[in-house]
């Protein structure tokens, strides 16, 4: 329906590193895909004292770095005794621009909580930010604080926004706590405990009081364990929900990462099969085997990153045997010895920039088009106008040259994106408002009725929503908010709105089945829809006559394969790094971050490149539906014709549009 549909960018991703000597938070990226960040331009400054937000020396001694689910980054600094919240709003790869950084929590908070040493930071299951504080002689409180922004000003400094969640001294009088991680509702703290054995504490709010009492804390594992697992101050959670621990100082033996999983539900690690060594520093060259290890992080793809006194390492389980001990599974991402701009790496975290919709400047419907001139903030349209879809105040005749669309009286907003459905269109403004016009049978304009509009009219049902992306289809419309909520309205004969039934919606309606997901892109085909989430998953809903939803499990009432699905279903069989989608007629496409293309659904015109090269310059297409995603590979360069008809050109065109 639309040229240049809304897509997302994931270019700014990598590893965030707090360096104690350069006094910076650095962003390490593997831009050329060689497995390290040691090439020109691959290590950049993410945040430091040069920030334009006016924060003084905020990175002199970074103890902790954590990225929350909303993509904001929290940095705990031991010199300024503060936790900073960073948001790369303009997606330029740093948080040093004006307004991108502020103090989240410090000793100046309204509750009078002390914060001399912010050693650990983690987001809890309720979205609150938990901060681990190690006390000092003048401010002896060893504690975990629960912090949240209740008034929307971007910090947790105000009354009622921070509280003592756990007084660690009531559990370990000599407490010296470091990393904190959550597995569901359970928190894990690594505590070096002064002169006592190092320990990992398991913390669970069993009585749902909102605070932790000493009897809700138990020893998960300590240095005195009989399984050979050393405990120090680093921990993280892997993709399977197991706790990873890292030794800090490897003086009498190699540094070790152990995976801990409470298999019997006892709340402790009490059996040998619950503790597994998954890495040690003997996998490194001899010159790197003895080092001071500081921090580790894990991501959803099974990777681990850790820091030593002069190196940042990345681990990948290449042979899927559950450990990182095999050849080639440990790589040096950055090293002081190689001339990289790092000096003393400490806190480390995997980073992914917030997905950003890319605006569309052209929309194509059924025999009409709309165009946005960004320089003059003018919308133009041309083509058929039987139902006012050209937006110029009249209907009933065609216009064969571009003419400006009539905007509402007094309109002074900046238009950033436009989309066209079959016989209607919408546009999006910089302030997040959506305007619609054209044919309105079944309600695709979202205005609460089915009356035609010949000029754009603002959709009031989205007044309180900051919309960042729009998409139109055949009598349907969609919008995505800045927090990833998907809205749908209009025709719903096959469940293409994803709202759980087949009733039309005359006003924007939240797709509740995806409310717990962060939707970043949506694409409308013929009575079916694809939605892409921030974590690279694709969901489909609506018509499934040709397998365009990826063959979800289940049967229709008559026992036949599902011909429609009224609520979103996950499309299985795709890689985890999908960054773009297209729902095109009865065929679906998805593209990975490295440019691989996958397709499924109708292939009767060879649009999924299935068939046989005859070796004589012709290609015999396989017209069977493709019921699960397959990777599309290019045809040989000498193929000049396709058996099966002239639709091949259109099929190839659709392939390129993805």
């Amino acid at each position: 329906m639309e040229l240049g549909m809304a897509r997302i960018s994931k270019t700014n991703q990598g590893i965030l590193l707090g360096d104690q000597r350069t006094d910076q938070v650095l962003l390490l990226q593997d831009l050329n895909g060689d497995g390290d960040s040691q090439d020109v331009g691959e290590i950049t400054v993410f945040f430091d004292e040069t920030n334009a937000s006016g924060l003084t020396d905020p990175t002199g001694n970074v103890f902790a770095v954590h990225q929350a689910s909303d993509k904001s980054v929290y940095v705990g600094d031991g010199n300024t005794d503060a936790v900073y919240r960073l948001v790369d709003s303009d997606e330029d790869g740093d948080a040093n621009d004006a307004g991108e950084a502020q103090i989240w929590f410090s000793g100046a908070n309204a509750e009078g909580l002390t914060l001399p040493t912010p050693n650990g930071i983690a987001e809890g299951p309720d979205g609150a930010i938990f901060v681990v504080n190690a006390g000092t002689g003048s401010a002896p409180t060893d504690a975990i604080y629960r912090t949240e922004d209740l008034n929307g000003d971007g910090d947790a400094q105000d009354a009622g926004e921070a509280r003592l969640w756990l007084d660690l001294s009531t559990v370990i009088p000599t407490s010296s706590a470091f990393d904190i991680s959550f597995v569901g509702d359970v928190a894990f703290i690594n505590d070096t405990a002064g002169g006592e054995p190092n320990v990992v504490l398991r913390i669970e709010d069993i009585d749902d009081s909102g605070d932790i009492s000493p009897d809700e804390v138990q020893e998960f594992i300590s240095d005195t364990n009989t399984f050979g697992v050393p405990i120090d101050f680093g921990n993280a959670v892997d993709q399977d929900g197991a706790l990873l621990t890292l030794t800090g100082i490897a003086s009498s033996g190699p540094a070790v990462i152990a995976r801990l999983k409470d298999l019997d539900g006892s709340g402790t690690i009490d059996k040998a099969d619950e503790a597994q060594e998954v890495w040690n520093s003997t996998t490194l060259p001899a010159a790197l085997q003895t080092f001071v290890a500081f921090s580790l992080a894990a991501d959803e793809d099974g990777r681990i990153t850790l820091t030593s006194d002069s190196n940042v390492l990345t681990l990948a389980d290449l042979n899927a045997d559950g450990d990182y001990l095999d050849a080639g599974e440990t790589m040096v991402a950055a090293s002081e010895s190689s001339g990289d701009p790092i000096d003393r790496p400490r806190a480390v975290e995997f980073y992914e920039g917030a997905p950003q919709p890319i605006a569309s400047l052209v929309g194509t419907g059924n025999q009409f088009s709309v165009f946005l001139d960004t320089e003059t903030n003018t919308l133009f349209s041309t083509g058929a106008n039987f139902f006012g879809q050209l937006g110029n105040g009249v209907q009933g005749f065609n216009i064969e040259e571009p003419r400006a669309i009539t905007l509402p009286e007094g309109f002074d907003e900046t238009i950033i994106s436009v989309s066209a459905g079959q016989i209607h269109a919408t546009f999006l403004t910089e302030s997040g408002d959506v305007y619609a016009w054209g044919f309105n049978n079944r309600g695709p304009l979202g205005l609460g009725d089915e009356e035609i509009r010949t000029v754009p009219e603002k959709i009031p049902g989205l007044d309180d929503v900051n919309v960042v992306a729009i998409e139109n289809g055949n009598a349907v419309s969609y919008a995505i908010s800045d927090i990833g909520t998907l809205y749908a309205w209009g025709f719903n004969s096959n469940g293409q709105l994803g709202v759980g039934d087949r009733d039309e919606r005359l006003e924007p309606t939240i797709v509740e089945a995806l409310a717990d997901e962060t939707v970043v892109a949506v694409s409308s085909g013929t009575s079916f829809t694809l939605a892409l989430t921030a974590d690279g998953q694709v969901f489909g809903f609506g018509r499934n006559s040709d397998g365009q939803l990826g063959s979800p499990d289940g049967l229709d009432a008559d026992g036949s394969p599902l011909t429609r699905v009224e609520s979103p279903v996950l499309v299985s069989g795709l890689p985890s790094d999908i960054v773009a989608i297209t729902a095109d007629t009865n065929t679906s496409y998805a593209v990975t971050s490295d440019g691989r293309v996958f397709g499924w659904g109708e292939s009767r015109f060879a649009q999924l490149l299935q068939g046989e090269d005859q070796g004589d310059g012709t290609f015999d297409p396989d017209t069977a539906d493709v019921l699960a995603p397959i990777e599309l590979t290019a045809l040989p360069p000498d193929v000049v014709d396709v058996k099966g008809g002239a639709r091949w050109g259109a099929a190839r065109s659709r392939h390129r549009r993805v």
Side-chain angles (χ1 to χ4, degrees), residues 96-113:
N96 267 341
D97 303 296
E100 293 187 332
Q102 67 183 110
I103 293 175
W104 169 258
F105 180 66
S106 73
N109 67 88
E111 298 298 329
L113 302 172

Side-chain angles (χ1 to χ4, degrees), residues 450-534:
E450 297 185 70
E451 300 297 321
I452 289 172
R453 301 299 197 279
T454 61
V455 295
E457 186 172 323
K458 185 179 175 183
I459 301 177
L462 295 171
D463 279 349
D464 297 326
V465 180
N466 183 21
V467 176
V468 296
I470 53 176
E471 164 79 344
N472 296 340
N474 181 8
V476 293
S477 299
Y478 304 90
I480 302 173
S481 77
D482 59 343
I483 60 172
T485 302
L486 178 63
Y487 294 78
W489 60 98
F491 197 30
N492 195 29
S493 59
N494 283 276
Q496 58 264 48
L497 298 185
V499 292
D501 56 43
R502 286 186 278 158
D503 298 331
E504 63 193 37
R505 297 297 193 275
L506 302 182
E507 297 179 344
T509 303
I510 293 176
V511 180
E512 294 288 354
L514 294 176
D516 293 333
E517 304 287 343
T518 301
V519 177
V520 294
V522 61
S523 182
S524 176
T526 299
S527 298
F528 83 101
T529 309
L530 298 179
L532 173 66
T533 64

Side-chain angles (χ1 to χ4, degrees), residues 1-8 356-365 369-374 378-380 415-421 426-429 437 468-472 522 657:
M1 295 297 180
E2 177 189 352
L3 297 180
M5 288 176 292
R7 290 180 170 85
I8 60 169
Q356 299 291 314
I358 299 174
S360 170
L361 307 183
V362 179
T364 58
S369 301
V370 291
F371 313 88
L372 173 61
D373 182 346
T374 56
T378 303
L379 276 175
F380 294 91
I415 302 171
I416 61 172
S417 188
V418 62
S419 180
T426 60
F427 70 74
L428 173 64
T429 70
W437 68 99
V468 296
I470 53 176
E471 164 79 344
N472 296 340
V522 61
R657 275 184 51 198

